C-alpha cells in the first residue's frame, strides 16, 4: 500500500446541516489525515469548469445549481491508499444503496444531495486538488 492524496468536497447539503465536524471525524477514524481544508462559496463558473466532464448530461445544470447553492468545504486527504479508502467510507452515490456506516448512508439526503464528493483516480485527484489549492496550502 502507498501513501496517497485525494480530494474531497463536503457539499452544500452537509455544510447547511453543520455536518463538517461529524464527517471529518469519519474521515479521521478511517485513517485519513486532512492536510488542507477551506470553506468556500463556489461560483457558477468554478462549478461549471470543475464538473465540465458532465456538461452534456441532463443533470449538469442541476448539479451546478446545487453546488453553488451554499458553502462547500474542499479538502485534501492523505493516507494509505487514500483514494480507495475515501471512496469506501463515502459509500455508494445513491445513499439508498450505500453500506451502513458510510458517510452517504449516515448523512445524505438524496442521490443529488449526497453530502460528499471524492476523486475516483490518482489523475483526477491531482487535477482536482490543483484546481482548489496552491501547493503552499497543503501541509502534510
Amino acid at each position: 500500500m502507498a501513501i496517497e492524496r485525494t480530494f474531497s468536497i463536503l457539499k452544500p447539503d452537509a455544510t447547511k446541516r453543520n455536518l463538517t465536524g461529524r464527517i471529518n471525524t469519519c474521515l479521521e477514524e478511517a485513517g485519513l489525515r486532512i492536510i488542507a481544508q477551506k470553506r468556500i462559496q463556489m461560483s457558477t463558473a468554478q462549478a461549471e469548469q470543475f464538473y465540465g466532464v458532465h456538461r452534456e448530461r441532463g443533470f449538469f445544470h442541476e448539479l451546478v445549481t446545487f453546488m453553488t447553492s451554499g458553502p462547500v468545504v474542499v479538502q485534501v486527504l492523505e493516507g494509505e491508499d487514500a483514494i480507495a479508502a475515501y471512496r469506501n467510507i463515502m459509500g455508494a452515490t445513491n445513499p439508498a444503496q450505500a453500506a451502513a456506516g458510510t458517510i452517504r448512508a449516515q448523512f445524505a439526503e438524496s442521490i443529488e444531495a449526497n453530502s460528499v464528493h471524492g476523486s475516483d483516480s490518482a489523475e483526477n485527484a491531482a487535477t482536482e486538488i490543483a484546481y482548489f489549492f496552491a501547493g503552499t496550502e497543503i501541509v502534510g
Side-chain angles (χ1 to χ4, degrees):
M1 292 200 254
I3 299 294
E4 293 178 327
R5 289 181 175 174
T6 193
F7 179 73
S8 166
I9 301 176
L10 308 188
K11 295 181 179 181
D13 65 295
T15 63
K16 178 181 178 181
R17 293 178 290 139
N18 295 319
L19 296 174
T20 302
R22 291 175 67 190
I23 292 173
N24 284 347
T25 296
C26 293
L27 301 176
E28 291 174 338
E29 287 177 350
L32 297 167
R33 292 179 55 226
I34 302 165
I35 60 171
Q37 176 176 259
K38 57 187 169 184
R39 184 179 179 98
I40 64 167
Q41 177 67 51
M42 204 180 301
S43 70
T44 299
Q46 280 179 308
E48 286 176 346
Q49 184 175 350
F50 185 78
Y51 287 106
V53 66
H54 301 301
R55 187 171 302 278
E56 301 305 318
R57 296 196 170 147
F59 61 83
F60 177 73
H61 294 293
E62 289 82 8
L63 176 61
V64 169
T65 298
F66 171 64
M67 292 303 293
T68 59
S69 68
V72 299
V73 175
V74 292
Q75 303 173 311
V76 181
L77 309 176
E78 184 176 75
E80 291 282 336
D81 293 321
I83 296 163
Y86 184 42
R87 294 194 66 77
N88 186 51
I89 192 64
M90 281 192 316
T93 302
N94 183 344
Q97 298 171 349
T102 61
I103 292 168
R104 288 176 173 153
Q106 293 178 72
F107 304 118
E109 295 179 310
S110 67
I111 194 168
E112 294 84 15
N114 62 13
S115 299
V116 290
H117 162 89
S119 302
D120 61 0
S121 69
E123 297 76 23
N124 284 343
T127 300
E128 292 175 346
I129 290 168
Y131 189 77
F132 287 102
F133 291 95
T136 57
E137 295 179 293
I138 301 170
V139 181

